[in-house]
Amino acid sequence: MWKDNMMITVGLAFLILCMQNIDCTSDKLTQDGITWNYNYTRYHPMSEISDWMERVASENPELVSSSVYGETFEGRNITFLKIGLGSEGREKKAIWMDCGIHAREWIAPAFCQWFVKEILQRYQTDEKLNEMLKNMDFYVTPVLNIDGYMFSWFNESTRLWRKSRSIPPEGCWCHGVDLNRNFNAYWGTVGVSRDCCQNTYCGSGPVSEKEAEAVTQFVGSRVDQILCFLTIHSAGQLLLMPYGHPQISAPNYDELKAVGQAAAAAMKAVHGMVYRVGTSPEILYANSGSSRDWARLIGIPFSYTFELRDTGEFGHLLPENQIQPACEEAFEGARTIITYVHDKAFHNRTEIGAVGATRAFWATVLASCLATMYLL
């Protein structure tokens, strides 16, 4: 206990010093002497996100690569960033993260970009992160529903578009499918609509949509490799775990809940925001066909949906001045889960709880400040 209190005291002192002298959330990315700015506190159209992805990969070749793994209904490439360090011939595991499956949830792609930024800024000085990058690759898709996301930028009338942009079935005039109801996980059973004009329209069949097919094929062929599946949404400040069907429970429910609660504690420690943890029927509503449920169903042991800020004031129109705090807290939640998953797989450690969350929080704060000092 004395050591934990001392760590908190030292952490507070260092944080104050850090805040007085440097910007701990610098937007600068540096590689081999090249420094360039990208505004991570703004929402960006798809063209800018695509340019950012290309630049991140080209200027960080030792850490980042990009690959096309699918195509949208309108023929656009679906691309992920693969982030990882050399494994010296050892088999690597992986973490999956996708953002922007629902077009109107702009904070989700903003978080995926923030997540990548944090890794680039920290990995050289953060020993734990460096270790994880040597043992695991991170597959990050900043925008999965590219067609829908671009449509949501068209004008004010399309800003709250949710679905994909596939053509409607015969006898209907409404475009698009809710991609998070289209995966082959108890498809079409609860929490969906068969009316193509509804936001929860689940499609003509499981994996009828090209975007869902792309994830299914890539992730499904790497089940033994992928330890954790994270899909980022908004809003509601929730951390959802499998399953969305009220009569089905994940075999590792208790562990998923405990790890989720530790992540929620880490998020609350950043800005005081409360995130609730549970299955969708427990804390939201029943649903089926989600990518989260599908990932757990095929054997990926840890699968979560992050529902980022807020709880009703702004909803899917979260203002830009909340991007940074929302991303800061979500990063701590994601890191808590990823660290637990890594340590269980590579060190057979399963400690989780308030003390662990406190240590992880301060370690992350200190690493962030040190990394920024190094970059500056």
Side-chain angles (χ1 to χ4, degrees), residues 233-247:
H233 294 238
S234 72
Q237 293 173 207
L238 307 172
L239 193 53
L240 302 175
M241 43 188 267
Y243 285 102
H245 197 291
Q247 297 177 354

Side-chain angles (χ1 to χ4, degrees), residues 4 7 76 114 135 229 249:
D4 292 328
M7 184 172 186
R76 298 182 174 92
W114 186 279
N135 291 328
F229 185 100
S249 181

Side-chain angles (χ1 to χ4, degrees), residues 222-243:
R222 292 163 175 78
V223 172
D224 294 337
Q225 178 190 7
I226 297 175
L227 299 173
C228 182
F229 185 100
L230 302 177
T231 180
I232 314 301
H233 294 238
S234 72
Q237 293 173 207
L238 307 172
L239 193 53
L240 302 175
M241 43 188 267
Y243 285 102

Side-chain angles (χ1 to χ4, degrees), residues 285-344:
Y285 46 68
N287 57 53
S288 58
S290 72
S291 63
R292 171 200 65 242
D293 284 2
W294 168 80
R296 184 63 193 88
L297 193 63
I298 66 171
I300 296 174
F302 294 90
S303 180
Y304 294 94
T305 300
F306 279 69
E307 296 283 357
L308 304 184
R309 293 191 184 191
D310 57 11
T311 57
E313 182 179 2
F314 298 105
H316 302 303
L317 299 175
L318 194 71
E320 289 184 329
N321 63 12
Q322 290 199 35
I323 293 175
Q324 179 171 323
C327 290
E328 288 172 341
E329 66 202 17
F331 182 85
E332 298 309 325
R335 178 173 175 135
T336 298
I337 294 171
I338 291 168
T339 301
Y340 177 88
V341 169
H342 170 271
D343 288 354
K344 181 177 181 179

Side-chain angles (χ1 to χ4, degrees), residues 147-208:
D147 297 345
Y149 184 72
M150 293 179 68
F151 188 66
S152 73
W153 278 80
F154 185 68
N155 58 38
E156 290 185 5
S157 69
T158 66
R159 172 62 183 85
L160 292 178
W161 185 260
R162 169 184 169 100
K163 300 184 289 182
S164 68
R165 291 296 297 164
S166 55
I167 59 173
E170 185 177 355
C172 184
W173 58 273
C174 297
H175 285 71
V177 167
D178 183 347
L179 296 177
N180 205 40
R181 300 292 184 277
N182 193 240
F183 285 79
N184 194 11
Y186 309 106
W187 177 86
T189 54
V190 293
V192 303
S193 176
R194 300 301 179 94
D195 179 351
C196 78
C197 290
Q198 296 300 310
N199 271 335
T200 57
Y201 173 55
C202 60
S204 59
V207 201
S208 62

